[in-house]
Amino acid sequence: MSIRHIVMWKLSASTSEEREQQYLEIKSALEGLNGVIPEIRSLTVSQNVHKIGDNYDVVLDSVFDSIADVEAYAAHPAHVEAGKVPKSYAVARAQVDVEF
């Protein structure tokens, strides 16, 4: 079994240009963790292309071998630093970890 770790953010941006800029900063910071944190099997950050209503703006989709690996990733200093970027723009956050 593996763990799919998914995090979504609603951004503070008030314009599509600002939302794009925030998304690109988040994508760069978090995808930069690939190859840095050994527990990551895959990690991508994508933008919602169907922004209507209360939909979230950005999603992180990542895969780990175990919950222990997710916890090691979360505590890793590189993740703590990179995590400051979405925190600086997010007005809401949701997370789910599922086995597959």
Side-chain angles (χ1 to χ4, degrees):
M1 290 257 180
S2 295
I3 302 295
R4 183 169 301 277
H5 172 71
I6 300 166
V7 182
M8 298 182 302
W9 297 273
K10 288 185 185 183
L11 302 179
S12 61
S14 57
T15 66
S16 59
E17 293 82 12
E18 187 180 12
R19 187 175 301 108
E20 178 74 11
Q21 175 264 326
Q22 290 178 1
Y23 157 68
L24 290 173
E25 285 186 42
I26 292 167
K27 180 177 182 69
S28 177
L30 295 175
E31 286 188 356
L33 298 173
N34 284 304
V36 174
I37 301 175
E39 289 81 7
I40 297 171
R41 295 293 161 247
S42 69
L43 185 153
T44 59
V45 176
S46 302
Q47 187 174 33
N48 184 356
V49 297
H50 194 208
K51 179 65 180 144
I52 58 169
D54 282 340
N55 289 354
Y56 280 68
D57 299 298
V58 177
V59 62
L60 174 143
D61 184 4
S62 54
V63 174
F64 298 85
D65 289 336
S66 67
I67 287 292
D69 285 352
V70 174
E71 292 168 353
Y73 154 81
H76 193 284
H79 173 264
V80 172
E81 188 62 29
K84 292 176 183 177
V85 177
K87 283 181 184 176
S88 71
Y89 296 128
V91 296
R93 179 185 179 276
Q95 175 182 324
V96 63
D97 296 294
V98 297
E99 289 184 325
F100 71 100

